[in-house]
Amino acid sequence: MGEAVVGLIGMGDMGKMYARRLSEAGWRVHACDLPDKYDLLVEEFKDSENVTVFKNGHHVSRSSDYIIYSVEAKNIDAVVAAYGPSTKMGAIVGGQTSCKAPEMAAFEKHLPSDVEIVSCHSLHGPGVNPKGQPLVLIQHRASDASYNLVSKILSCFESKHVKLTAEAHDRITADTQAVTHAAFLSMGTAWAANNQFPWEMPRYVGGIENVKINITLRIYANKWHVYAGLAILNPAAKRQIKQYAESVTDLFKLMLGGHKQELRERIECARKAVFGNADGSKGHELLLQDELLDQFSLGEKPAASERLKNNHLSLLAMVDCWWKLGIVPYDHMICSTPLFRLWLGITEYLFRNEELLEEVIDTAINDNTFRHDDLEFTFAARDWSERVSFGNMDGYRSKFEKIQSYFAPRFPEATRVGNEMIKTIEESLKQRKGNQGN
Ligand SMILES: NC(=O)C1=CN([C@@H]2O[C@H](COP(=O)(O)OP(=O)(O)OC[C@H]3O[C@@H](n4cnc5c(N)ncnc54)[C@H](OP(=O)(O)O)[C@@H]3O)[C@@H](O)[C@H]2O)C=CC1
Ligand SMILES: O=C(O)C(=O)Cc1ccc(O)cc1
């Protein structure tokens, strides 16, 4: 198939990013979204000579050699049911959804048996440069030759190809993505509930707090279905999110009760399990450094003396949750997203700094100034977990969009700062890896 045509069904943010990069690399792309977007898409891609826009997925399916479904995970069954039977004989089909169990079920159910299946998943958002980012490839029902063709087509992204089964993909992304999002969604929920824009308060500016704020806003600036899909439709995600909510609740109860010794012992057990013994270093450098974190702020950085302390309940609970579930987050680095690496980075930053950890325990027990934040955060973590456990798409959407509208006026600035932050921190991570010779 020297002249393979790549089909894209779903021209949202990810589909467009794929269309642009694949066509620029010289591949012919046949693309469609819903019929009512046809005219807009034709206009938008009129200068891309390798991209041909079609009215619907039948036209794309019958004329393409590798077809990628880049639609909402919650719609995958209906969309594959509609266009799958029109797939060109002997073609290869894959999907870009963030959760592979429903995608594979849809392919197996609706695709003709002569059609091969090789799926993919870019582990980053549409605004991030794919170069060096993990790209999962799944040879689900395909010859090696077909797998190699897909790998060759997608090589123009210069991503790191990670070959996994669909099941392993879902298990890992439940650990890395779903539970990470639960933590940030809960932070945003608590800030909105207390009517705060956290970067306007001295407590919330600087270092770790910058990452929390920028990532929370980045998530709420995205579409609800991306997060709902990967939490609710991933069979492995519910348990993680539930454990996170339980860890938050348990730790908050220890704080409220003033049980300092018990709190310290629990944090210490979790620290040992996740970050290793004694100095907690597990033999590698910190992922993130303070100077790097301090550069990205939406507010003014207060003087050290004015900095209000935080008990970092969200971070303590993350490590507790990893410990309870036997998860070693470093094992997932080959298959991680920029947000996960930042999240692990700030968690590690706290847990490997004994002085800071001691300050956190002390604040947790002796300072009740921010108990109202922690209360809202605990409610939020449990409520998100319940919505996910019940598989409640509508309930997820309405909560997400309500909080989204609260933060919306700040999105342009937060997106700009967040993009800079991710770029700089990723560069620094790459450089350090280079220096270490791996
Ligand atoms: N955004 C991200 O950061 C990432 C997303 N993903 C995954 O990629 C997939 C796409 O995400 P993203 O691009 O962000 O989402 P978008 O909502 O931007 O794109 C999905 C597009 O598919 C369209 N669509 C729905 N049904 C059909 C149909 N029958 N025929 C043609 N087009 C259809 C949608 O139209 P309409 O809006 O009218 O329904 C929409 O334009 C999702 O499964 C997501 O989980 C993967 C990696 C990163
Ligand atoms: O990095 C994250 O976790 C994001 O929020 C962006 C994202 C969202 C969905 C994906 O399937 C992959 C990446």
Side-chain angles (χ1 to χ4, degrees):
M1 267 194 238
E3 288 284 292
V5 172
V6 183
L8 284 169
I9 297 179
M11 286 288 276
D13 295 335
M14 290 305 282
K16 283 182 191 171
M17 190 267 272
Y18 265 51
R20 290 216 176 81
R21 290 189 178 262
L22 288 165
S23 61
E24 277 163 19
W27 297 98
R28 278 190 297 143
V29 172
H30 288 184
C32 75
D33 200 277
L34 288 169
D36 62 1
K37 306 233 191 77
Y38 173 75
D39 292 332
L40 275 178
L41 276 179
V42 169
E43 176 61 24
E44 192 173 338
F45 284 88
K46 67 175 189 293
D47 297 326
S48 311
E49 62 178 54
N50 280 337
V51 180
T52 310
V53 176
F54 289 88
K55 284 227 158 95
N56 65 45
H58 294 295
H59 299 290
V60 171
S61 284
R62 61 190 293 276
S63 63
S64 308
D65 302 295
Y66 176 43
I67 299 123
I68 305 173
Y69 285 80
S70 191
V71 298
E72 299 90 334
K74 67 183 176 56
N75 294 340
I76 189 79
D77 186 75
V79 182
V80 178
Y83 309 130
S86 303
T87 311
K88 180 173 171 176
M89 277 178 74
I92 312 165
V93 166
Q96 171 67 260
T97 68
S98 311
C99 171
K100 296 304 178 188
E103 185 182 296
M104 292 306 170
F107 290 158
E108 280 172 8
K109 189 163 161 204
H110 304 297
L111 291 176
S113 57
D114 60 87
V115 170
E116 297 187 78
I117 302 171
V118 181
S119 254
C120 63
H121 184 195
S122 286
L123 290 180
H124 56 85
V128 171
N129 183 348
K131 185 172 177 177
Q133 300 292 341
L135 168 63
V136 175
L137 294 180
I138 299 170
Q139 183 176 0
H140 188 71
R141 184 175 91 189
S143 64
D144 288 348
S146 296
Y147 176 82
N148 291 339
L149 174 64
V150 170
S151 177
K152 182 175 148 200
I153 292 171
L154 301 182
S155 65
C156 61
F157 294 135
E158 300 182 79
S159 297
K160 273 184 294 185
H161 292 188
V162 181
K163 192 174 178 187
L164 292 176
T165 62
E167 203 210 337
H169 166 278
D170 286 354
R171 242 185 305 113
I172 295 176
T173 53
D175 290 355
T176 54
Q177 292 198 275
V179 75
T180 302
H181 299 151
F184 289 107
L185 288 167
S186 303
M187 287 181 226
T189 309
W191 295 333
N194 279 325
N195 206 11
Q196 292 172 9
F197 291 117
W199 53 92
E200 290 175 352
M201 311 172 71
R203 175 191 186 215
Y204 280 114
V205 182
I208 291 180
E209 310 294 355
N210 280 341
V211 176
K212 287 185 182 171
I213 293 164
N214 284 317
I215 297 200
T216 299
L217 266 73
R218 197 176 173 82
I219 288 174
Y220 279 108
N222 210 336
K223 279 152 298 191
W224 71 275
H225 72 75
V226 173
Y227 302 104
L230 64 80
I232 292 176
L233 303 176
N234 183 337
K238 291 189 172 73
R239 194 171 74 107
Q240 269 87 336
I241 296 173
K242 186 158 181 279
Q243 179 58 56
Y244 183 69
E246 282 170 11
S247 292
V248 170
T249 310
D250 287 354
L251 293 175
F252 186 50
K253 282 183 184 165
L254 290 177
M255 293 175 189
L256 278 181
H259 304 297
K260 190 168 189 175
Q261 191 50 28
E262 221 181 306
L263 179 67
R264 175 176 292 139
E265 277 166 18
R266 185 148 170 174
I267 291 172
E268 189 50 27
C269 282
R271 185 177 74 87
K272 275 194 184 142
V274 174
F275 297 105
N277 291 319
D279 68 346
S281 68
K282 276 212 162 154
H284 65 80
E285 265 185 81
L286 275 178
L287 292 171
L288 301 175
Q289 309 292 337
D290 215 7
E291 317 82 71
L292 205 60
L293 298 182
D294 273 343
Q295 291 170 23
F296 303 99
S297 176
L298 289 172
E300 293 289 316
K301 185 174 158 58
S305 57
E306 285 171 37
R307 186 178 63 88
L308 294 181
K309 292 170 182 165
N310 188 346
N311 61 33
H312 291 304
L313 175 57
S314 61
L315 297 173
L316 298 179
M318 190 66 253
V319 178
D320 193 80
C321 168
W322 283 331
W323 165 50
K324 294 274 175 189
L325 293 174
I327 293 170
V328 180
Y330 297 100
D331 292 351
H332 297 324
M333 283 304 258
I334 51 143
C335 196
S336 60
T337 65
L339 297 201
F340 176 73
R341 290 191 288 279
L342 284 170
W343 182 227
L344 176 58
I346 55 173
T347 313
E348 179 194 65
Y349 181 86
L350 167 63
F351 275 78
R352 287 179 50 193
N353 181 336
E354 275 190 30
E355 214 179 304
L356 187 55
L357 201 54
E358 204 44 51
E359 177 189 300
V360 159
I361 295 172
D362 193 61
T363 309
I365 299 295
N366 298 320
D367 183 346
N368 62 14
T369 328
F370 292 101
R371 290 272 157 82
H372 60 290
D373 279 359
D374 298 331
L375 180 69
E376 291 293 356
F377 180 74
T378 307
F379 284 154
R382 293 171 64 120
D383 187 43
W384 280 113
S385 167
E386 290 211 340
R387 285 172 204 242
V388 170
S389 296
F390 292 140
N392 186 347
M393 280 280 177
D394 291 339
Y396 193 107
R397 178 181 194 162
S398 56
K399 186 175 174 102
F400 187 98
E401 290 186 337
K402 188 167 148 229
I403 297 160
Q404 184 172 58
S405 64
Y406 176 75
F407 288 117
R410 315 294 170 122
F411 287 156
E413 174 69 351
T415 310
R416 192 187 59 72
V417 177
N419 282 344
E420 268 309 293
M421 181 176 81
I422 289 190
K423 207 168 117 207
T424 310
I425 292 176
E426 292 277 307
E427 286 300 317
S428 144
L429 288 176
K430 256 186 242 158
Q431 245 173 30
R432 269 231 323 272
K433 262 180 124 187
N435 293 344
Q436 288 167 357
N438 50 9

